[in-house]
Amino acid sequence: MTNFTTRVELHQASAADYRQLILAMKKESFVTGNDKQTSGILTFKRRANVEIKEVIDAVVRAASTTGKKFSFTVMKDKPIDKPDTKHRLVLH
């Protein structure tokens, strides 16, 4: 499974437009930590076995339902390698 982070901003949009965006994004299998936000840039997450192109298409479909112009980014989350934790303290 791949994790994706998406940020979406609607241009010249009302609170109702943002509520519509959140509903449409949920229908496209995205989740948000703040579904009460009604302005600015909203962040969504999606975990799926799909290519990034499919995620981009889903964002465009969802944002288009608002009838507003929009900007967005989609990022494929990359796991962070854990640093080597097997360090030993040697006292002489």
Side-chain angles (χ1 to χ4, degrees):
M1 295 289 259
T2 304
N3 293 315
F4 296 93
T5 300
T6 302
R7 292 187 176 92
V8 183
E9 180 178 20
L10 299 176
H11 302 276
Q12 298 179 340
S14 67
D17 296 322
Y18 275 91
R19 286 190 291 274
Q20 171 61 36
L21 173 65
I22 291 167
L23 289 174
M25 291 292 281
K26 286 181 178 181
K27 287 181 183 177
E28 294 285 351
S29 302
F30 288 90
V31 295
T32 182
N34 183 3
D35 57 357
K36 303 278 188 229
Q37 186 175 341
T38 56
S39 65
I41 299 170
L42 276 66
T43 300
F44 299 89
K45 297 277 189 178
R46 182 175 176 186
R47 184 178 172 137
N49 280 328
V50 297
E51 296 296 321
I52 196 166
K53 173 75 169 106
E54 293 175 62
V55 177
I56 291 168
D57 291 345
V59 173
V60 170
R61 278 192 304 271
S64 295
T65 66
T66 67
K68 299 294 181 178
K69 290 185 179 182
F70 56 90
S71 302
F72 70 94
T73 58
V74 176
M75 295 166 281
K76 182 177 178 180
D77 297 350
K78 190 173 185 181
I80 298 174
D81 293 331
K82 292 182 182 179
D84 186 10
T85 57
K86 297 179 182 177
H87 297 284
R88 277 190 241 168
L89 177 62
V90 179
L91 299 175
H92 295 279

